[in-house]
Amino acid sequence: LTPSVPEATSTEDGCSVAVANYDPDFTWGATSTAGSASVDGDGVLTVTGLDRGATATVTITAQQEGFPSGSTQISCSALPASEPSVPL
């Protein structure tokens, strides 16, 4: 099963997205080039620990005995740093 993952929604320290073809019968995993990544029991991929404005490549895997394993990569970007306020 090759994971199908739409574009992720940025958060302050990473991103989040639901795996479109999540199947609880498969074992899911996620790794990230920065921060940490995981897929929960509802099929939601969450990446945390990124600096504001940073981008990481995330690999999502799905495995089940008797089926070919699959993986896909997505880009995850944290929200950009907010501009400092300047007093008038």
Side-chain angles (χ1 to χ4, degrees), residues 52 80-86:
R52 294 292 294 250
S82 56
E83 295 293 319
S85 57
V86 177

Side-chain angles (χ1 to χ4, degrees), residues 8-87:
T9 301
S10 296
T11 63
E12 286 188 12
D13 68 342
C15 66
S16 181
V17 62
V19 178
N21 60 343
Y22 178 76
D23 183 335
D25 292 334
F26 282 74
T27 300
W28 294 83
T31 58
S32 178
T33 56
S36 61
S38 63
V39 177
D40 70 14
D42 294 321
V44 176
L45 166 71
T46 304
V47 178
T48 58
L50 299 184
D51 292 332
R52 294 292 294 250
T55 299
T57 299
V58 182
T59 302
I60 303 102
T61 59
Q63 299 176 331
Q64 183 182 22
E65 185 148 347
F67 291 87
S69 60
S71 67
T72 193
Q73 287 188 330
I74 66 164
S75 181
C76 169
S77 298
L79 291 171
S82 56
E83 295 293 319
S85 57
V86 177

